[in-house]
Amino acid sequence: MSDVALLVIDVQESFRHRPFWNDADVPPFTERLQTLIDGAAARRIPILQIFHLAESGPFAAASGHVRTLEPIVIAPTAIFHKRQHSALVDSGLPGWLTQHGIRRLIVSGIRTEQCCETTTRHASDSGWQVDYVTEATLTFAMTHPSGRRFTADDIKARTELVLVDRFARIATVEQALAGRDLPVAA
């Protein structure tokens, strides 16, 4: 088995039922994520799917929305459930990664600046190398308390800025799958 694993974080139908959901943002994300998933499968890289759970609302198991976001097709090596922003908290994921000798994580999923970024920081601080694949993450526009509006692209750029050379290597789908052609993070 590879010493690399792909994390597919919170790519679930739950998000379609949130007020900020925007269908226009989805096609480029799902195309890049599907390419990443298919490439990982072809390279026998373990694909780890993480779902976020909550007590109520669209993230509750009883809602029926805690399932893979359409049109993504995935055959995960393992599935984990989390209730915190980091996929590494109370999910069983760290034990699985250690047991399987995983040294590098490829991070993808929803939302760029929340669960994906938080998991990246946590993983880096815990000793894993991380390739953060921004083009295989999805987020939505947000409004700052001052009234300033940040687009999804603004948020993605900010996430890359705070992660690069500190917590992760920023990679394209192709670079993450190749596992090379990236500078080593300081």
Side-chain angles (χ1 to χ4, degrees):
M1 186 180 289
S2 173
D3 68 346
V4 177
L6 170 60
L7 302 185
V8 180
I9 301 170
D10 300 350
V11 179
Q12 60 196 76
E13 284 293 323
S14 307
F15 279 102
R16 280 194 207 275
H17 304 278
R18 302 292 291 164
F20 50 75
W21 180 262
N22 182 353
D23 282 325
D25 297 333
V26 177
F29 160 70
T30 56
E31 186 277 326
R32 296 312 292 156
L33 179 59
Q34 192 66 62
T35 299
L36 183 59
I37 291 167
D38 294 346
R43 289 164 180 78
R44 296 188 176 157
I45 293 171
I47 300 167
L48 308 177
Q49 188 169 21
I50 298 102
F51 289 108
H52 190 86
L53 293 175
E55 293 301 318
S56 61
F59 289 86
S63 73
H65 304 306
V66 181
R67 57 186 167 83
T68 305
L69 180 74
E70 293 180 11
I72 296 298
V73 176
I74 185 171
T77 307
I79 296 173
F80 299 89
H81 295 91
K82 66 179 185 63
R83 294 183 178 274
Q84 305 295 325
H85 290 99
S86 174
L88 298 168
V89 174
D90 296 331
S91 65
L93 179 59
W96 191 98
L97 296 171
T98 301
Q99 180 182 13
H100 290 88
I102 302 300
R103 298 178 337 123
R104 182 170 63 94
L105 303 175
I106 300 170
V107 173
S108 67
I110 305 175
R111 293 179 65 170
T112 304
E113 79 291 352
Q114 287 186 22
C115 297
C116 296
E117 181 179 327
T118 301
T119 299
T120 296
R121 288 172 180 262
H122 190 168
S124 175
D125 283 351
S126 297
W128 283 285
Q129 296 174 357
V130 182
D131 287 345
Y132 190 90
V133 186
T134 309
E135 64 185 356
T137 69
L138 179 66
T139 196
F140 310 93
M142 295 171 69
T143 302
H144 188 274
S146 70
R148 180 176 172 199
R149 186 86 171 145
F150 288 83
T151 67
D153 287 341
D154 293 335
I155 295 165
K156 286 182 174 191
R158 177 246 167 235
T159 295
E160 287 181 342
L161 174 68
V162 299
L163 291 179
V164 71
D165 295 334
R166 293 175 191 89
F167 300 98
R169 298 182 292 182
I170 306 303
T172 64
V173 166
E174 291 75 19
Q175 289 170 326
L177 291 171
R180 54 181 178 16
D181 301 325
L182 294 171
V184 175

